[in-house]
């Protein structure tokens, strides 16, 4: 069974009732772009992290948990 990538970020999105498509639009990207990052196929950029964190109101203290994988 494959593990879910970026579970903390996905949990926050679920709690705020926002989809990948909606979030992608809010940060000025397409859903495919964001999906590739959330599935671990491409890395998040610093700009992506800042924009997503701002949109989802994620404090800097949680950025590592949300955007870095073990």
């Amino acid at each position: 069974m494959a593990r879910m990538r970026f579970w903390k970020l996905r949990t926050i999105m679920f709690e705020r009732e926002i989809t990948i498509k909606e979030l992608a639009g809010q940060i000025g990207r397409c859903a495919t772009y964001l999906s590739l990052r959330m599935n671990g196929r491409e890395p998040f950029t610093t700009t992506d992290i800042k924009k997503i964190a701002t949109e989802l109101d994620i404090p800097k203290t949680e950025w590592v948990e949300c955007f870095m994988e073990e």
Side-chain angles (χ1 to χ4, degrees), residues 3-54:
R3 68 183 177 93
M4 186 181 342
R5 296 180 180 271
F6 303 105
W7 66 269
K8 174 97 176 184
L9 177 58
R10 290 176 187 276
T11 300
I12 292 168
M13 289 173 64
F14 178 78
E15 291 171 348
R16 290 175 176 67
E17 299 179 350
I18 188 168
T19 65
I20 288 176
K21 184 177 180 179
E22 292 167 334
L23 181 58
Q26 291 174 352
I27 66 167
R29 300 290 190 174
C30 69
T32 301
Y33 177 92
L34 187 54
S35 180
L36 286 170
R37 276 128 192 95
M38 292 190 68
N39 288 309
R41 295 197 172 146
E42 296 289 337
F44 283 103
T45 66
T46 304
T47 302
D48 294 332
I49 292 170
K50 288 178 182 177
K51 287 181 179 180
I52 292 168
T54 298

